[in-house]
Amino acid sequence: MDPEITKLQRKYDWTSGVYDFLDGMLEYSRYRDCRREVWKHVHGTVLDAGVGTGRNIDFYPPDADVTGIDLSAGMLRKAEKRARQKSMRITLQQMDVLKMSFPDHHFDVIVATFLCCVIPDSLQVAALREMRRVCKRDGEIILLEYAFSKDPLRRLRMKLLTPYVRWVYGAGFDRHTSDYVREEHFHVLEERFLVQDIVKLIRMKP
Protein backbone atom coordinates (compact mmCIF):
# COMPACT_ATOMS: atom_id res chain seq x y z
CA MET A 1 0.00 0.00 0.00
CA ASP A 2 1.24 3.48 -0.85
CA PRO A 3 2.59 5.31 2.25
CA GLU A 4 0.16 8.20 1.67
CA ILE A 5 -2.75 5.76 1.64
CA THR A 6 -1.49 4.06 4.80
CA LYS A 7 -1.41 7.47 6.47
CA LEU A 8 -5.00 8.12 5.39
CA GLN A 9 -6.09 4.75 6.71
CA ARG A 10 -4.68 5.54 10.14
CA LYS A 11 -6.20 9.01 10.11
CA TYR A 12 -9.69 7.71 9.38
CA ASP A 13 -9.43 4.91 11.92
CA TRP A 14 -8.64 7.66 14.43
CA THR A 15 -11.43 10.03 13.35
CA SER A 16 -14.12 7.39 12.72
CA GLY A 17 -15.54 7.74 16.22
CA VAL A 18 -16.19 11.46 15.84
CA TYR A 19 -16.51 11.80 12.06
CA ASP A 20 -20.30 12.10 11.96
CA PHE A 21 -20.22 14.69 14.72
CA LEU A 22 -17.55 16.75 12.94
CA ASP A 23 -19.44 16.63 9.65
CA GLY A 24 -22.93 16.88 11.12
CA MET A 25 -23.71 20.53 10.37
CA LEU A 26 -22.50 20.35 6.76
CA GLU A 27 -24.19 17.02 6.24
CA TYR A 28 -27.64 18.42 6.95
CA SER A 29 -27.13 21.91 5.56
CA ARG A 30 -25.31 20.96 2.35
CA TYR A 31 -24.39 17.36 1.63
CA ARG A 32 -27.72 15.55 1.85
CA ASP A 33 -29.21 17.42 -1.09
CA CYS A 34 -26.05 16.70 -3.07
CA ARG A 35 -26.18 13.00 -2.23
CA ARG A 36 -29.81 12.87 -3.29
CA GLU A 37 -28.87 14.34 -6.66
CA VAL A 38 -26.05 11.83 -7.10
CA TRP A 39 -28.06 8.74 -6.27
CA LYS A 40 -31.03 9.49 -8.49
CA HIS A 41 -28.78 8.42 -11.40
CA VAL A 42 -27.91 5.04 -9.86
CA HIS A 43 -29.17 1.55 -10.73
CA GLY A 44 -28.08 -2.07 -10.90
CA THR A 45 -24.82 -3.33 -9.43
CA VAL A 46 -23.19 -0.40 -7.64
CA LEU A 47 -19.89 0.37 -5.94
CA ASP A 48 -19.92 3.04 -3.22
CA ALA A 49 -16.19 3.80 -3.25
CA GLY A 50 -15.05 5.39 -0.01
CA VAL A 51 -18.30 4.52 1.76
CA GLY A 52 -17.07 6.09 5.00
CA THR A 53 -19.62 5.94 7.81
CA GLY A 54 -22.40 5.19 5.31
CA ARG A 55 -23.87 8.65 4.80
CA ASN A 56 -25.01 7.64 1.31
CA ILE A 57 -27.09 4.74 2.64
CA ASP A 58 -30.21 6.88 3.06
CA PHE A 59 -30.23 7.47 -0.70
CA TYR A 60 -29.56 3.99 -2.08
CA PRO A 61 -32.21 2.91 -4.60
CA PRO A 62 -34.19 0.01 -3.11
CA ASP A 63 -33.47 -2.24 -6.09
CA ALA A 64 -29.72 -1.55 -6.28
CA ASP A 65 -27.13 -4.17 -5.31
CA VAL A 66 -24.58 -2.02 -3.45
CA THR A 67 -21.04 -2.87 -2.36
CA GLY A 68 -19.27 -0.31 -0.18
CA ILE A 69 -15.51 -0.19 0.28
CA ASP A 70 -13.32 1.89 2.54
CA LEU A 71 -9.72 1.91 3.76
CA SER A 72 -10.72 2.27 7.39
CA ALA A 73 -12.08 -0.56 9.50
CA GLY A 74 -13.39 2.04 11.95
CA MET A 75 -15.39 3.82 9.26
CA LEU A 76 -16.77 0.49 8.01
CA ARG A 77 -18.02 -0.40 11.48
CA LYS A 78 -19.98 2.86 11.51
CA ALA A 79 -21.37 2.10 8.04
CA GLU A 80 -22.38 -1.40 9.10
CA LYS A 81 -24.24 -0.02 12.13
CA ARG A 82 -26.02 2.56 9.95
CA ALA A 83 -27.02 -0.11 7.42
CA ARG A 84 -28.52 -2.25 10.20
CA GLN A 85 -30.46 0.70 11.59
CA LYS A 86 -31.85 1.45 8.12
CA SER A 87 -32.47 -2.24 7.32
CA MET A 88 -30.45 -1.68 4.15
CA ARG A 89 -28.70 -4.55 2.42
CA ILE A 90 -25.12 -3.67 1.53
CA THR A 91 -21.89 -5.64 1.23
CA LEU A 92 -19.05 -3.87 3.04
CA GLN A 93 -15.37 -4.61 2.43
CA GLN A 94 -12.13 -3.05 3.62
CA MET A 95 -10.29 -2.19 0.42
CA ASP A 96 -8.03 0.37 -1.22
CA VAL A 97 -9.64 2.06 -4.23
CA LEU A 98 -6.20 2.07 -5.87
CA LYS A 99 -6.06 -1.73 -5.86
CA MET A 100 -9.51 -3.28 -5.84
CA SER A 101 -10.05 -7.05 -5.89
CA PHE A 102 -13.12 -6.92 -8.13
CA PRO A 103 -13.00 -8.37 -11.64
CA ASP A 104 -12.88 -6.15 -14.71
CA HIS A 105 -16.14 -4.52 -15.86
CA HIS A 106 -18.05 -5.62 -12.77
CA PHE A 107 -20.24 -2.65 -11.75
CA ASP A 108 -23.01 -0.81 -13.57
CA VAL A 109 -22.32 2.36 -11.59
CA ILE A 110 -19.46 3.55 -9.39
CA VAL A 111 -20.17 6.39 -6.96
CA ALA A 112 -17.43 8.28 -5.10
CA THR A 113 -18.63 11.11 -2.88
CA PHE A 114 -15.81 13.31 -1.57
CA LEU A 115 -13.25 10.57 -2.19
CA CYS A 116 -10.97 12.22 -4.73
CA CYS A 117 -10.50 15.30 -2.55
CA VAL A 118 -8.89 12.93 -0.03
CA ILE A 119 -6.66 11.13 -2.54
CA PRO A 120 -3.41 13.02 -3.21
CA ASP A 121 -3.02 14.50 -6.68
CA SER A 122 -0.15 12.11 -7.39
CA LEU A 123 -2.50 9.11 -7.01
CA GLN A 124 -5.67 10.43 -8.61
CA VAL A 125 -4.98 9.09 -12.09
CA ALA A 126 -4.33 5.63 -10.63
CA ALA A 127 -7.63 5.80 -8.72
CA LEU A 128 -9.59 6.89 -11.81
CA ARG A 129 -8.03 4.12 -13.89
CA GLU A 130 -8.94 1.53 -11.28
CA MET A 131 -12.53 2.80 -11.21
CA ARG A 132 -12.60 2.54 -15.00
CA ARG A 133 -11.30 -1.02 -14.82
CA VAL A 134 -14.08 -2.29 -12.56
CA CYS A 135 -16.85 -0.31 -14.31
CA LYS A 136 -18.80 -1.93 -17.14
CA ARG A 137 -18.01 -0.52 -20.57
CA ASP A 138 -21.51 0.94 -20.81
CA GLY A 139 -21.57 1.85 -17.12
CA GLU A 140 -21.20 5.16 -15.36
CA ILE A 141 -18.86 6.74 -12.81
CA ILE A 142 -20.25 9.53 -10.63
CA LEU A 143 -18.04 11.81 -8.55
CA LEU A 144 -19.01 14.44 -5.99
CA GLU A 145 -16.03 16.64 -5.20
CA TYR A 146 -14.86 19.95 -3.80
CA ALA A 147 -13.13 22.67 -5.83
CA PHE A 148 -11.62 25.99 -4.84
CA SER A 149 -14.08 28.82 -5.38
CA LYS A 150 -13.25 31.57 -7.83
CA ASP A 151 -15.06 34.08 -5.62
CA PRO A 152 -12.29 35.95 -3.71
CA LEU A 153 -14.00 36.01 -0.31
CA ARG A 154 -15.20 32.41 -0.50
CA ARG A 155 -11.80 31.28 -1.71
CA LEU A 156 -10.13 33.06 1.21
CA ARG A 157 -12.41 31.28 3.68
CA MET A 158 -11.56 27.94 2.08
CA LYS A 159 -7.84 28.70 2.27
CA LEU A 160 -8.18 29.52 5.96
CA LEU A 161 -9.95 26.20 6.50
CA THR A 162 -7.40 24.20 4.54
CA PRO A 163 -5.00 23.36 7.44
CA TYR A 164 -7.92 22.03 9.53
CA VAL A 165 -9.35 20.02 6.63
CA ARG A 166 -5.94 18.53 5.89
CA TRP A 167 -5.29 17.67 9.52
CA VAL A 168 -8.66 16.09 10.29
CA TYR A 169 -9.61 14.56 6.93
CA GLY A 170 -6.38 14.41 4.97
CA ALA A 171 -8.32 16.27 2.29
CA GLY A 172 -7.77 19.33 0.13
CA PHE A 173 -9.86 21.77 -1.87
CA ASP A 174 -7.12 22.09 -4.48
CA ARG A 175 -7.31 18.69 -6.17
CA HIS A 176 -7.34 18.67 -9.97
CA THR A 177 -9.82 15.83 -10.47
CA SER A 178 -11.63 17.45 -13.41
CA ASP A 179 -8.31 17.87 -15.22
CA TYR A 180 -7.40 14.22 -14.71
CA VAL A 181 -10.83 13.09 -15.93
CA ARG A 182 -10.17 14.88 -19.21
CA GLU A 183 -6.56 13.75 -19.47
CA GLU A 184 -7.72 10.16 -19.14
CA HIS A 185 -10.34 10.69 -21.88
CA PHE A 186 -13.43 9.78 -19.88
CA HIS A 187 -16.64 10.68 -21.69
CA VAL A 188 -18.14 13.40 -19.47
CA LEU A 189 -21.94 13.29 -19.44
CA GLU A 190 -22.44 16.10 -16.97
CA GLU A 191 -20.29 18.45 -14.93
CA ARG A 192 -21.93 21.12 -12.81
CA PHE A 193 -21.81 22.69 -9.39
CA LEU A 194 -24.43 21.71 -6.84
CA VAL A 195 -23.32 24.13 -4.10
CA GLN A 196 -22.14 27.60 -5.21
CA ASP A 197 -18.92 26.98 -7.15
CA ILE A 198 -17.37 24.65 -4.59
CA VAL A 199 -19.16 21.27 -4.69
CA LYS A 200 -19.16 19.69 -8.14
CA LEU A 201 -21.01 16.74 -9.65
CA ILE A 202 -19.18 14.85 -12.43
CA ARG A 203 -20.96 12.06 -14.32
CA MET A 204 -18.94 10.16 -16.90
CA LYS A 205 -18.67 7.03 -18.98
CA PRO A 206 -15.49 4.97 -18.75
Side-chain angles (χ1 to χ4, degrees), residues 12-69:
Y12 278 94
D13 279 338
W14 177 70
T15 60
S16 60
V18 295
Y19 185 89
D20 285 340
F21 171 77
L22 294 174
D23 247 24
M25 184 177 297
L26 282 174
E27 183 64 35
Y28 285 94
S29 66
R30 176 179 294 176
Y31 296 157
R32 288 182 69 82
D33 286 344
C34 296
R35 296 184 198 280
R36 188 174 290 108
E37 183 66 21
V38 166
W39 285 89
K40 76 179 188 181
H41 299 286
V42 172
H43 63 279
T45 304
V46 183
L47 175 65
D48 189 349
V51 65
T53 63
R55 288 293 199 178
N56 284 326
I57 286 174
D58 284 350
F59 307 100
Y60 289 170
D63 57 345
D65 178 12
V66 183
T67 298
I69 65 168

Side-chain angles (χ1 to χ4, degrees), residues 81-98:
K81 181 179 179 180
R82 179 167 274 117
R84 285 199 308 268
Q85 290 171 341
K86 303 290 182 179
S87 300
M88 180 62 68
R89 183 172 60 88
I90 175 176
T91 302
L92 294 168
Q93 298 184 50
Q94 187 173 9
M95 197 180 298
D96 180 1
V97 73
L98 294 169

Side-chain angles (χ1 to χ4, degrees), residues 43 45 105 107-110 132 134-142 187 189 203-206:
H43 63 279
T45 304
H105 317 304
F107 294 100
D108 294 301
V109 182
I110 297 172
R132 168 181 269 156
V134 302
C135 187
K136 291 181 180 178
R137 290 188 175 92
D138 61 347
E140 189 171 327
I141 299 169
I142 306 174
H187 175 57
L189 302 171
R203 294 175 52 224
M204 58 195 180
K205 293 283 189 182

Side-chain angles (χ1 to χ4, degrees), residues 64-158:
D65 178 12
V66 183
T67 298
I69 65 168
D70 203 277
L71 276 175
S72 165
M75 299 292 271
L76 287 169
R77 284 192 291 271
K78 293 287 185 178
E80 184 178 18
K81 181 179 179 180
R82 179 167 274 117
R84 285 199 308 268
Q85 290 171 341
K86 303 290 182 179
S87 300
M88 180 62 68
R89 183 172 60 88
I90 175 176
T91 302
L92 294 168
Q93 298 184 50
Q94 187 173 9
M95 197 180 298
D96 180 1
V97 73
L98 294 169
K99 193 173 182 180
M100 293 185 275
S101 61
F102 307 114
D104 294 354
H105 317 304
H106 184 68
F107 294 100
D108 294 301
V109 182
I110 297 172
V111 173
T113 54
F114 306 115
L115 173 64
C116 289
C117 60
V118 173
I119 297 173
D121 265 327
S122 61
L123 299 175
Q124 291 227 357
V125 168
L128 289 169
R129 288 176 178 173
E130 186 69 348
M131 288 187 225
R132 168 181 269 156
R133 182 186 69 79
V134 302
C135 187
K136 291 181 180 178
R137 290 188 175 92
D138 61 347
E140 189 171 327
I141 299 169
I142 306 174
L143 308 179
L144 186 65
E145 291 301 333
Y146 266 99
F148 256 131
S149 173
K150 289 183 169 57
D151 176 82
L153 185 57
R154 195 178 297 136
R155 188 179 182 91
L156 175 60
R157 287 199 298 267
M158 294 176 80

